[in-house]
Amino acid sequence: MAATSGFDERAPVFVISVAAELSGMHPQTLRQYDRLGLVTPQRTAGRGRRYSALDVERLRQVQQLSQDEGVNLAGIKRILELEDRVRRKADQLDAAQDVLSGELGSRPTRRFFAADAAGQVTSMRRGQRPERRAPGELVLWSGPRRS
């Protein structure tokens, strides 16, 4: 689905019958995929399923992997989990690059950064050490360069 201006692709706007029609599947198939955790639509107060445009795209991807590539549902679930993980890591990397570019700007200085276990990057002053809160946090630093 092509995004149009002002349209939130994450907004849960499609009832199951519309999502099924848009994805080319039977509504019962969508219910099964929800039970398996392949596509998890949001729920209304009355527990009705509401699908977003991104959910419909994911349904199409599941169908393509299943029918065209011959991947079983367990394999599809793993593929989708790994793609989501890669997407989250790419978002973390983008955020870290934004912090670095904002902190460094155009002036060449030495800065220190610390990253916690969740991937949150914090700029540190020279000589400052981060507070160790949890195992698995990483501190990156660079000593003076020697020629």
Side-chain angles (χ1 to χ4, degrees):
M1 304 193 97
T4 60
S5 72
F7 179 73
D8 182 5
E9 292 181 327
R10 298 182 192 286
V13 294
F14 304 117
V15 295
I16 192 166
S17 59
V18 174
E21 186 174 330
L22 290 171
S23 63
M25 298 180 187
H26 191 277
Q28 193 60 37
T29 304
L30 274 62
R31 291 182 188 95
Q32 179 67 23
Y33 288 173
D34 184 11
R35 280 191 291 277
L36 295 172
L38 294 173
V39 178
T40 307
Q42 293 186 26
R43 298 290 185 136
T44 64
R47 303 288 299 146
R49 293 173 174 88
R50 292 294 183 270
Y51 292 84
S52 69
L54 291 177
D55 291 333
V56 172
E57 283 300 317
R58 191 169 178 124
L59 287 166
R60 289 177 180 166
Q61 182 182 13
V62 169
Q63 184 178 42
Q64 187 267 330
L65 287 169
S66 175
Q67 292 180 355
D68 299 342
E69 306 296 329
V71 180
N72 65 24
L73 295 179
I76 291 171
K77 184 172 183 177
R78 184 68 177 142
I79 289 168
L80 295 175
E81 288 169 351
L82 291 171
E83 286 179 347
D84 289 344
R85 186 174 181 186
V86 167
R87 192 174 302 108
R88 284 191 307 272
K89 294 298 180 186
D91 290 345
Q92 287 178 346
L93 179 59
D94 289 344
Q97 288 173 334
D98 290 345
V99 168
L100 286 173
S101 65
E103 291 292 329
L104 295 177
S106 60
R107 56 188 162 90
T109 61
R110 287 185 187 239
R111 297 297 305 253
F112 299 90
F113 299 91
D116 65 17
Q120 184 66 36
V121 177
T122 306
S123 175
M124 310 299 290
R125 289 188 306 270
R126 183 177 217 89
Q128 178 185 9
R129 295 288 181 233
E131 184 180 314
R132 298 283 294 192
R133 292 185 223 133
E137 291 182 350
L138 172 68
V139 178
L140 303 174
W141 68 88
S142 172
R145 291 190 182 185
R146 299 180 187 197
S147 300

